[in-house]
Amino acid sequence: MSSFIARPEHGLAWVTGASSGIGRALALKLVAEGFGVVVTARSHDKLVTLQREATGPGRIIVLDGDVTDPEDMERVIASIEYDHGTLALVALNAGVFKPVHGEDLHLEDFQESFSVNLNGVVNCLLPAIRHMKTRGQGQIAIVSSVTGYGGLPTSGAYGATKAALINMAESLKFDLDKQGIRIQVVNPGFVDTPATKENAFPMPALVSPQEAADAIVAGLQASGFEITFPKRFTYVLKFINILPYWLYFPLINAATGWKKRPSVKARLPAGKPEEPQAV
């Protein structure tokens, strides 16, 4: 069982989806903890602003890129290892939330969600593991979501990707432990990010990105596989998801008020894809 916990002296941290939300707050928190932090997103200007605002014993290294492009992520990893230093900690956080409604389904919502949230993680994960294997140590955190526990309104695409990430992290742990690579899954509740503003239902126990970053860093430095917060909400959701479906669906309907909501109107065709963000 791998017990490696990355420290600043072990090498660099890499955070994807660092231009806003959880990723941005996490990068700033890791800098304050003393890490050199490589930040990646498609918005170069936002990453440069982040670099200027970071304070602490650590530093920000900007390597912008697109997580949906596997060759681009190979380039980023190579630049980290050969130009900047050893990769010790990875936080795979880039994601998009595309609300979907059964009355008005659009293929592109599913395609973009899978491309960024699931394939985008794989595109980063594989080269990171390959480099960590050569040293026999490393730490990887995959940012999923409590929506991966079970179906929630409007999360047919997003929740499917997050459930896949939880399963993938669980499955890989068996082999990565033997290689000295520690893998964890991060399952936040509702975090006040640009993505969650799309939610059309109440979001109990909403936390700020800064609170999320504090909880994630504390979890990275602890021994558990799952990092989940705030527990007063996420543990309730865990419990609801072990109930039989005849109880589960009425409880979710009651909690969200979803059954009483009117059907959505068909929307206009999708425009330019959004910047992947932490959710």
Side-chain angles (χ1 to χ4, degrees), residues 80-198:
I80 292 171
E81 288 280 332
Y82 302 123
D83 298 332
H84 299 285
T86 301
L87 181 62
L89 172 64
V90 173
L92 300 178
N93 164 79
V96 293
F97 174 61
K98 309 293 291 185
V100 299
H101 300 266
E103 311 96 311
D104 184 35
L105 294 170
H106 296 265
L107 180 61
E108 63 270 14
D109 290 336
F110 291 87
Q111 291 176 324
E112 186 180 352
S113 297
F114 297 158
S115 177
V116 176
N117 299 356
L118 182 54
N119 293 339
V121 168
V122 173
N123 293 339
C124 302
L125 183 66
L126 270 57
I129 289 174
R130 188 172 65 248
H131 282 269
M132 288 178 172
K133 280 170 58 178
T134 63
R135 288 181 298 278
Q137 68 180 31
Q139 186 173 3
I140 298 169
I142 295 177
V143 179
S144 181
S145 166
V146 293
T147 58
Y149 293 165
L152 295 175
T154 76
S155 293
Y158 179 75
T161 65
K162 296 304 184 178
L165 291 180
I166 293 171
N167 187 286
M168 182 168 65
E170 291 170 347
S171 299
L172 290 175
K173 186 179 188 302
F174 295 102
D175 292 322
L176 294 182
D177 275 355
K178 294 184 290 185
Q179 300 174 62
I181 301 172
R182 184 179 181 206
I183 189 167
Q184 295 169 281
V185 65
V186 182
N187 290 324
F190 294 114
V191 182
D192 188 10
T193 69
T196 55
K197 295 187 188 304
E198 298 284 345

Side-chain angles (χ1 to χ4, degrees), residues 9-279:
E9 58 268 23
H10 294 136
L12 299 171
W14 180 34
V15 180
T16 65
S19 60
S20 67
I22 294 174
R24 189 179 197 280
L26 179 57
L28 291 172
K29 177 68 175 178
L30 289 171
V31 167
E33 294 287 318
F35 278 95
V37 183
V38 177
V39 293
T40 297
R42 292 191 307 217
S43 295
H44 178 75
D45 291 345
K46 291 182 179 179
L47 295 181
V48 171
T49 300
L50 170 62
Q51 185 181 49
R52 290 171 181 162
E53 293 179 1
T55 58
R59 62 193 173 106
I60 291 285
I61 301 166
V62 173
L63 289 178
D64 44 312
D66 184 350
V67 297
T68 67
D69 183 341
E71 293 183 358
D72 207 15
M73 293 304 98
E74 290 279 1
R75 173 192 61 80
V76 169
I77 289 283
S79 181
I80 292 171
E81 288 280 332
Y82 302 123
D83 298 332
H84 299 285
T86 301
L87 181 62
L89 172 64
V90 173
L92 300 178
N93 164 79
V96 293
F97 174 61
K98 309 293 291 185
V100 299
H101 300 266
E103 311 96 311
D104 184 35
L105 294 170
H106 296 265
L107 180 61
E108 63 270 14
D109 290 336
F110 291 87
Q111 291 176 324
E112 186 180 352
S113 297
F114 297 158
S115 177
V116 176
N117 299 356
L118 182 54
N119 293 339
V121 168
V122 173
N123 293 339
C124 302
L125 183 66
L126 270 57
I129 289 174
R130 188 172 65 248
H131 282 269
M132 288 178 172
K133 280 170 58 178
T134 63
R135 288 181 298 278
Q137 68 180 31
Q139 186 173 3
I140 298 169
I142 295 177
V143 179
S144 181
S145 166
V146 293
T147 58
Y149 293 165
L152 295 175
T154 76
S155 293
Y158 179 75
T161 65
K162 296 304 184 178
L165 291 180
I166 293 171
N167 187 286
M168 182 168 65
E170 291 170 347
S171 299
L172 290 175
K173 186 179 188 302
F174 295 102
D175 292 322
L176 294 182
D177 275 355
K178 294 184 290 185
Q179 300 174 62
I181 301 172
R182 184 179 181 206
I183 189 167
Q184 295 169 281
V185 65
V186 182
N187 290 324
F190 294 114
V191 182
D192 188 10
T193 69
T196 55
K197 295 187 188 304
E198 298 284 345
N199 287 339
F201 52 83
M203 293 180 287
L206 185 71
V207 300
S208 70
Q210 292 72 30
E211 291 172 310
D214 289 345
I216 292 172
V217 170
L220 293 173
Q221 296 171 352
S223 60
F225 168 71
E226 184 187 31
I227 302 169
T228 184
F229 56 89
K231 290 183 174 62
R232 65 186 184 277
F233 170 68
T234 63
Y235 277 23
V236 170
L237 206 55
K238 275 179 179 285
F239 171 74
I240 291 174
N241 276 278
I242 66 172
L243 295 175
Y245 285 127
W246 63 270
L247 280 174
Y248 174 81
F249 290 114
L251 277 173
I252 295 298
N253 265 322
T256 62
W258 198 255
K259 194 171 185 178
K260 299 177 181 178
R261 292 180 180 273
S263 297
V264 299
K265 295 180 180 179
R267 73 165 191 244
L268 296 174
K272 182 180 177 182
E274 298 174 9
E275 167 76 11
Q277 299 182 20
V279 240

